Amino acid sequence: MTKYRILLASKSPRRKELLERLGYSFDVISIDCDEVFPENLETEKIAGYLSQLKANAYSSLKKDEVLITADTIVALDSEILGKPKDEDHAREMLRKLSGKTHEVYTGITIRTTDYEVTRTDVAHVEFSDFSHEEIEYYIKNFKPFDKAGSYGIQEWLGMAKVKSITGSFYTIMGLPAHIIYEELKNLTGN
């Protein structure tokens, strides 16, 4: 059985927390890559495409290392809601999500020097209506500028305003833990 050094290529504290909670030891690395996808790419393929793009941008992988990359997108009626540019953009996104059901796609890529797999998981989130005051409270207190769709499911908005979730809570947080566990177990044999 091969023992790999796990590299998590993510600036997300949530992904780091989830991988730790799965019981893995790993190092966090940074990959700089333009996260651009073809305009005609189907919505359900974008997160996986971006995850794979990040993985392929890392050229320093050694024989005993396994690289994990991930990307999360929020989609509402096929419109991609990425990370907000500023407070106004966050308000606009949250108004769009208010009272609606949207999809959260998280793609992960696991790569070694001789193996690569990319998988995408989807979850559906239904929000109740947000008042103007609730949106302002959330933006002021939680500053969701590093989050796709301008919200974190594990924060106040997720606790107070989610009516239902279909799919994995952890996929919405940014790392489909069940897929990571399954793929690493297949790769390492434990």
Side-chain angles (χ1 to χ4, degrees):
M1 173 173 39
T2 309
K3 178 75 173 153
Y4 288 101
R5 175 179 170 231
I6 297 174
L7 304 175
L8 175 65
S10 180
K11 295 174 184 151
S12 164
R14 294 160 301 281
R15 289 189 181 120
K16 181 178 180 286
E17 175 195 348
L18 292 175
L19 198 56
E20 283 171 349
R21 286 171 53 190
L22 275 174
Y24 293 106
S25 297
F26 58 93
D27 294 306
V28 176
I29 63 165
S30 182
I31 295 177
D32 288 321
C33 140
D34 288 333
E35 297 180 29
V36 180
F37 55 89
E39 279 188 33
N40 61 346
L41 193 62
E42 297 163 38
T43 303
E44 61 271 9
K45 294 183 179 175
I46 294 170
Y49 178 90
L50 292 172
S51 169
Q52 195 168 33
L53 194 69
K54 291 175 194 176
N56 292 332
Y58 186 71
S59 58
S60 306
L61 199 62
K62 295 180 178 68
K63 191 96 176 121
D64 65 340
E65 295 175 332
V66 59
L67 176 68
I68 299 172
T69 57
D71 199 86
T72 300
I73 65 158
V74 170
L76 176 66
D77 302 324
S78 297
E79 179 186 357
I80 307 304
L81 303 178
K83 294 175 185 172
K85 298 179 193 85
D86 53 31
E87 283 189 20
D88 287 337
H89 194 212
R91 280 185 197 96
E92 178 189 331
M93 281 193 221
L94 292 172
R95 280 194 294 270
K96 285 180 180 181
L97 293 170
S98 175
K100 301 225 174 64
T101 299
H102 63 277
E103 294 80 41
V104 180
Y105 296 90
T106 297
I108 59 108
T109 299
I110 295 177
R111 185 165 79 91
T112 68
T113 54
D114 56 5
Y115 174 81
E116 182 176 313
V117 64
T118 298
R119 290 178 61 184
T120 300
D121 197 44
V122 62
H124 302 268
V125 180
E126 180 185 6
F127 276 127
S128 55
D129 291 324
F130 310 150
S131 69
H132 172 75
E133 292 76 22
E134 289 167 334
I135 290 173
E136 293 304 311
Y137 172 83
Y138 182 67
I139 290 171
K140 180 180 179 225
N141 290 285
F142 294 91
K143 303 182 181 359
F145 307 115
D146 66 335
K147 297 174 181 76
S150 300
Y151 79 93
I153 193 75
Q154 72 282 2
E155 296 173 340
W156 178 85
L157 195 71
M159 293 172 66
K161 303 305 281 184
V162 169
K163 285 173 76 172
S164 71
I165 294 173
T166 305
S168 169
F169 179 83
Y170 302 109
T171 292
I172 303 164
M173 268 183 83
L175 196 72
H178 62 292
I179 293 175
I180 293 286
Y181 179 77
E182 178 185 319
E183 290 296 340
L184 288 178
K185 187 175 178 184
N186 288 342
L187 186 63
T188 63
N190 59 10

